[in-house]
């Protein structure tokens, strides 16, 4: 039996198969919950970047990454205009094709 993770697109095609790719951590940081910004991650440019977040306390930021390696983060703003506070750990991985 195989173990791993598989992700399919809307048409049913496999987009990620951990039997074909491995993930490598290329960037990590911790950001305040009321911060916003962006960073260029050269290792993620032109690769298959994957971003994972973990809230340390409070709520997580809204985080995304583009295929060209631009990481962005923004705070969560409540209905009354106040920010959800806390800190968020951000991890960026790139998927490398496994050589067999």
């Amino acid at each position: 039996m195989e173990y791993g993770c598989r992700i399919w697109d809307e048409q049913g095609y496999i987009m990620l198969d951990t039997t074909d790719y491995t993930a490598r951590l290329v960037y990590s940081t911790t950001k305040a919950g009321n911060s916003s910004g962006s960073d260029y991650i050269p290792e993620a440019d032109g690769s298959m970047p994957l971003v994972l977040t973990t809230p340390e306390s409070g709520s997580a930021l809204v985080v995304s990454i583009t295929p060209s390696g631009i990481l962005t983060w923004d705070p969560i703003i409540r209905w009354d205009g106040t920010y959800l506070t806390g800190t968020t750990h951000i991890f960026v991985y790139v998927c490398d094709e496994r050589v067999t």
Side-chain angles (χ1 to χ4, degrees), residues 13-27:
Y13 297 104
I14 291 181
M15 299 301 295
L16 176 67
D17 186 342
T18 57
T19 62
D20 294 334
Y21 296 91
T22 57
R24 178 171 49 97
L25 179 66
V26 295
Y27 178 89

Side-chain angles (χ1 to χ4, degrees), residues 8 13 15-16 19-20 24-25 35 37 45 51 64 67 69 72 87-88 91 94-95 97 99:
W8 290 265
Y13 297 104
M15 299 301 295
L16 176 67
T19 62
D20 294 334
R24 178 171 49 97
L25 179 66
S35 66
D45 191 352
V51 64
S64 65
T72 59
T87 56
T88 300
F91 305 94
V94 294
C95 295
E97 190 168 358
V99 178

Side-chain angles (χ1 to χ4, degrees), residues 1-2 5 13 36 54 91:
M1 177 177 188
E2 291 184 28
C5 174
Y13 297 104
S36 64
T54 304
F91 305 94

Side-chain angles (χ1 to χ4, degrees), residues 9 12 14 16-18 20 22 27 32-33 39 41 43 53 61 65 70-71 76 81 85 88 90 93-95 99:
D9 67 7
I14 291 181
L16 176 67
D17 186 342
T18 57
D20 294 334
T22 57
Y27 178 89
D39 276 339
I41 316 294
E43 296 90 347
T53 61
L61 294 167
I65 191 162
I70 305 297
L71 175 73
I76 297 174
T85 60
T88 300
I90 302 171
Y93 295 85
V94 294
C95 295
V99 178

Side-chain angles (χ1 to χ4, degrees), residues 42-60:
E43 296 90 347
D45 191 352
S47 66
M48 292 177 24
L50 171 68
V51 64
L52 301 174
T53 61
T54 304
E56 182 177 307
S57 60
S59 297

